[in-house]
Amino acid sequence: MGIEIEDKFDVSPEYELPDLSALAEVTGPESRHLIALYYDTPDLRLAARGVTLRRRRGGADAGWHLKLPQARGVRQEITRPLTRKTVPAELAELVRAYTRGAELVPVAELDTRRNVTVLHEDGTGLVEIADDRVKGTVLGEEPKVVRWREVEAELLESGTKKLLAKVGKRLRKSGATPSQAGSKLAKLLEPAPIPTAATKPGSAGEVVLAYLCDQVQALLAQDPRVRRAEEDAVHQMRVAARRLRSALKAFRTVVTGTRAIQDELRRLGDVLGEARDLEVIRARFTKELDGLAPELVVGPVRARLGDDLRERERQAYGRIGEALSDERYYRLLDDLDALVAAPEWGKAADKPAQEELLKSARAAWERVTRAYDRAQAIDDPGRREIAMHDVRKAAKRARYTAEALIPCLGAGMAELAGPAEDVQEALGAYQDGVVAQRLLAEEAARARKAGADTFTYGLLIGIERGAAERAHAGFPKVWKKTCKAVAKVL
């Protein structure tokens, strides 16, 4: 697996590559012949999302390549050895969020005559420039052939984006034009665009729909990463699910009839949350143990906390895998596609965005203050702390709502999102400390049953209790500061 960062340029058949020797040492050109067979669903679901899956022969990296878009000019590339013309099961699994059960079949072939020039320093590659003459064939009952020439400048492991930019500048000066296509396949195929509802310019519906589209794309983009258990992927997918659910709640006067989708997003978030919380708590305990003097770490506490939590985390990932393979999940993805294609518009959809959506931001914060007032009116400390969890959830929704409206309402929403996040984090610090104490007590009981010394567990519980008490004691100051900041915006 790697991250592919490249700039692509369209050039004429007569184009001449400029002299790049002033930028670095130059090697090449070296000629290669590449033949790539591309796979997709018959209706081109991968191509529509900017995903490419190919089997390539020739060159130094023959094999199966799956490329997943990360940002413009940046793609994650996952490779597997060359096999027969059946898509490897692992790669097919990684695109299930896009294919959703549809068959993967050959849809195109690219025959590329490539001349490779490499910029390097002391034998270490910096940037690779590929000058490609391409014959593309769209497969089908009546194959269509298209020919073109293009140049790609790809950043190698030891190169810098600054050098890549300098190469791009030289190429443009010599007549190359930045390509609007994200890949060779995008030049050849013409997938139908992702269906998106028409909206009135400047309306609340336009702003909300754009945000929903972004979050649906974010959710889909994390799916392959979660299946591979990549770092932070579960967290990012969980955040996308939460943002979608929060938006559907906050903007219910703009888009209506989404209760079932909200429920499924909550369920998905819960499944993802179990593994994420275990990841965080395991890292938390590791950091605390590293901060203790060696003589205070008594017995196999480090191994027990790490191994026990890692096993629970492994089981939680197993449940994530089951959830992402369940038809219920694919129905949710279909429902999200249907939502952005044909939402059930509410009465506020056609109203001016700035006027209408400011009401949503204000309502979101009022929900926080109401939750806070209810919690403070409870005399019993235990019940009051439980009610403060509702304050945290309301603050999180207020934050997400404000962040969604920054493109429309500007800096004021950023000034609202920040204080809402402060409330969320302050209450979260207290809650995390409480959860950590409970988990440590459970692990200490297991250790005691096994005959192990539990001194260090008690020490860690004390550390967590102190952190929770400090967060609790400091919250009134955070709340006062937040209310003052919010009053200036709303």
Side-chain angles (χ1 to χ4, degrees):
M1 182 189 73
I3 298 296
E4 179 183 77
I5 301 176
E6 65 181 12
D7 293 329
K8 301 175 72 67
F9 301 88
D10 295 326
V11 298
S12 67
E14 299 79 21
Y15 176 79
E16 293 186 9
L17 199 69
D19 182 5
L20 301 172
S21 59
L23 300 179
E25 299 174 57
V26 178
T27 299
E30 175 187 332
S31 297
R32 298 173 185 171
H33 184 202
L34 312 173
I35 299 178
L37 187 61
Y38 286 79
Y39 289 74
D40 205 332
T41 62
D43 56 356
L44 306 181
R45 298 179 188 182
L46 300 187
R49 297 283 187 180
V51 177
T52 59
L53 174 60
R54 73 186 180 201
R55 177 185 182 273
R56 188 163 78 180
R57 295 179 287 123
D61 60 347
W64 288 91
H65 301 172
L66 172 62
K67 296 188 179 185
L68 303 163
Q70 303 287 302
R72 182 167 179 80
V74 180
R75 295 191 291 178
Q76 181 183 27
E77 182 173 9
I78 300 167
T79 62
R80 289 294 177 267
L82 189 66
T83 61
R84 293 184 178 183
K85 296 181 181 181
T86 300
V87 178
E90 180 186 352
L91 298 186
E93 175 71 12
L94 293 179
V95 295
R96 282 189 67 184
Y98 302 102
T99 60
R100 300 178 201 171
E103 184 184 8
L104 287 167
V105 298
V107 295
E109 182 180 82
L110 294 180
D111 187 319
T112 303
R113 303 285 177 170
R114 169 172 290 180
N115 286 322
V116 177
T117 300
V118 178
L119 301 187
H120 59 91
E121 183 176 24
D122 298 329
T124 301
L126 305 174
V127 174
E128 179 180 279
I129 299 94
D131 182 357
D132 293 340
R133 296 177 184 273
V134 186
K135 173 189 174 185
T137 304
V138 180
L139 304 177
E141 293 183 2
E142 297 182 7
K144 181 181 73 172
V145 176
V146 181
R147 299 177 187 272
W148 72 90
R149 186 180 175 196
E150 67 179 41
V151 172
E152 298 176 354
E154 181 178 351
L155 191 64
L156 301 181
E157 186 174 352
S158 298
T160 65
K161 291 184 178 180
K162 184 176 181 180
L163 178 59
L164 184 65
K166 288 182 178 180
V167 171
K169 185 176 181 180
R170 294 289 179 97
L171 295 175
R172 290 193 301 274
K173 281 189 174 182
S174 65
T177 303
S179 177
Q180 297 303 307
S183 66
K184 287 181 174 64
L185 193 64
K187 288 185 177 182
L188 186 62
L189 300 179
E190 297 179 356
I194 302 299
T196 306
T199 55
K200 181 180 177 181
S203 67
E206 180 185 46
V207 173
V208 171
L209 184 64
Y211 182 76
L212 294 175
C213 287
D214 287 345
Q215 297 311 312
V216 170
Q217 179 58 30
L219 185 75
L220 287 172
Q222 294 305 320
D223 179 286
R225 299 187 64 238
V226 169
R227 292 176 191 273
R228 289 170 55 83
E230 293 182 24
E231 184 178 358
D232 204 40
V234 165
H235 173 57
Q236 294 300 328
M237 190 177 193
R238 185 189 189 190
V239 168
R242 282 177 164 177
R243 288 183 185 276
L244 277 166
R245 184 166 172 249
S246 175
L248 295 175
K249 286 177 176 290
F251 305 126
R252 60 186 178 276
T253 61
V254 178
V255 177
T256 66
T258 63
R259 178 60 63 85
I261 292 179
Q262 291 178 40
D263 290 343
E264 289 303 306
L265 287 168
R266 178 189 53 75
R267 175 179 174 273
L268 176 61
D270 289 346
V271 173
L272 296 168
E274 183 183 4
R276 170 61 180 171
D277 292 345
L278 287 167
E279 286 177 349
V280 170
I281 204 73
R282 183 162 57 85
R284 183 186 184 107
F285 291 159
T286 298
K287 183 178 180 180
E288 290 174 355
L289 286 168
D290 289 345
L292 294 177
E295 63 270 20
L296 298 179
V297 182
V298 181
V301 58
R302 191 184 296 272
R304 181 177 290 277
L305 285 179
D307 292 345
D308 281 5
L309 293 179
R310 192 174 288 106
E311 174 58 23
R312 291 172 61 179
E313 191 178 319
R314 186 191 66 78
Q315 293 174 5
Y317 264 98
R319 286 186 281 275
I320 289 175
E322 292 173 1
L324 297 191
S325 298
D326 193 287
E327 286 303 315
R328 189 169 179 176
Y329 171 64
Y330 296 109
R331 283 197 300 272
L332 169 62
L333 297 183
D334 288 342
D335 288 344
L336 289 171
D337 285 348
L339 174 68
V340 299
E344 185 178 331
W345 294 117
K347 60 184 180 181
D350 285 338
K351 293 183 178 180
Q354 293 197 347
E355 172 187 329
E356 193 62 32
L357 296 180
L358 184 60
K359 296 178 184 177
S360 298
R362 187 177 293 117
W365 182 253
E366 289 173 351
R367 185 172 179 270
V368 181
T369 59
R370 287 196 302 272
Y372 178 78
D373 291 341
R374 284 195 300 270
Q376 294 306 303
I378 299 174
D379 293 329
D380 179 69
R383 290 178 53 233
R384 183 167 61 248
E385 295 309 326
I386 293 173
M388 288 298 288
H389 185 59
D390 291 335
V391 180
R392 182 188 182 192
K393 291 191 292 184
K396 184 180 296 184
R397 186 195 299 185
R399 170 195 166 193
Y400 287 161
T401 301
E403 289 174 346
L405 298 179
I406 290 175
C408 171
L409 300 181
M413 289 299 100
E415 294 171 8
L416 178 59
E421 185 175 9
D422 290 342
V423 170
Q424 173 194 335
E425 290 187 348
L427 291 174
Y430 173 77
Q431 182 65 23
D432 290 347
V434 171
V435 171
Q437 290 175 66
R438 184 169 62 246
L439 196 151
L440 284 166
E442 293 171 358
E443 290 297 328
R446 292 191 183 95
R448 190 179 302 110
K449 188 175 181 180
D453 193 311
T454 59
F455 167 80
T456 305
Y457 294 95
L459 193 58
L460 292 176
I461 288 173
I463 292 172
E464 291 292 354
R465 179 170 297 171
E469 289 176 350
R470 286 191 297 274
H472 185 271
F475 182 74
K477 184 177 180 180
V478 172
W479 179 254
K480 183 177 180 180
K481 180 181 177 182
T482 296
C483 289
K484 186 177 180 179
V486 171
K488 292 180 180 179
V489 179
L490 299 179

